[in-house]
Amino acid sequence: MTTPAGIDPRGPRFAATITTVLLLAATFLGLIGISTARTDGGISAVNAATLVQRAIDPGFLLTVVIALLFLWSVLSPATAPWGVVFRRFVRPRLAPPTELEDPRPPRFAQGVGLFVVTIGLVLHLVGVPWALPIATAAAFIAAFLNAAFSFCLGCQIYLLLQRAGILGRAPSAA
């Protein structure tokens, strides 16, 4: 009997739990940092802040780390930190999974997370107020849905694009 190809669906959920905590912290730091600060005149401090000040903002720096973790998960899921921690320390303590899942949708979801936080990072650097906490909050919501309810928003987007013949497989000739 051969083992079906796929990944333990609890692994991406474990990673989403850690990512949720990181994104919550990044959103909080973005809300109290330079991204949303106001000067006395009501002019956004982001516009007055230099590029260096925006780049060393703690919310920005944590979001860069999160983006790098997303990138790592997209480029090399087998070596991504949360997957390694799950496989080495968590999975051996659990019963075997009842079913395995296709690794492509969770990998695509990591790419969606990377895209969302990267947009927030770029907009923050160019001085768009609220861009960073909005982007991290959006990614937080998606990660929280996966962590708490096992609902992977990025996976659902992947499946919709797959059904439309845009991703994953060539449309049938029928």
Side-chain angles (χ1 to χ4, degrees), residues 4 11-13 21 35 37 39 42 74 86 89 106 118 130 140 147 149-150 152 173:
R13 192 169 182 188
V21 173
S35 177
T39 61
V74 169
F86 178 79
F89 302 109
T118 300
W130 297 92
F140 165 80
F149 304 110
S150 196
C152 177

Side-chain angles (χ1 to χ4, degrees), residues 50-149:
T50 67
L51 179 63
V52 171
Q53 289 171 320
R54 290 190 295 269
I56 62 171
D57 180 54
F60 177 83
L61 294 174
L62 180 55
T63 306
V64 167
V65 169
I66 294 166
L68 291 172
L69 289 166
F70 277 136
L71 181 62
W72 192 345
S73 295
V74 169
L75 296 178
S76 180
T79 64
W82 311 141
V84 170
V85 169
F86 178 79
R87 285 189 306 278
R88 284 200 186 151
F89 302 109
V90 179
R91 187 172 180 185
R93 290 168 170 67
L94 302 174
T98 56
E99 59 184 28
L100 299 177
E101 73 177 12
D102 183 352
R104 293 175 298 176
R107 191 173 185 180
F108 179 82
Q110 293 293 308
V112 172
L114 173 63
F115 177 77
V116 169
V117 297
T118 300
I119 294 297
L121 289 169
V122 170
L123 292 176
H124 173 78
L125 281 179
V126 298
V128 176
W130 297 92
L132 189 65
I134 288 171
T136 57
F140 165 80
I141 290 167
F144 178 78
L145 287 171
N146 193 357
F149 304 110

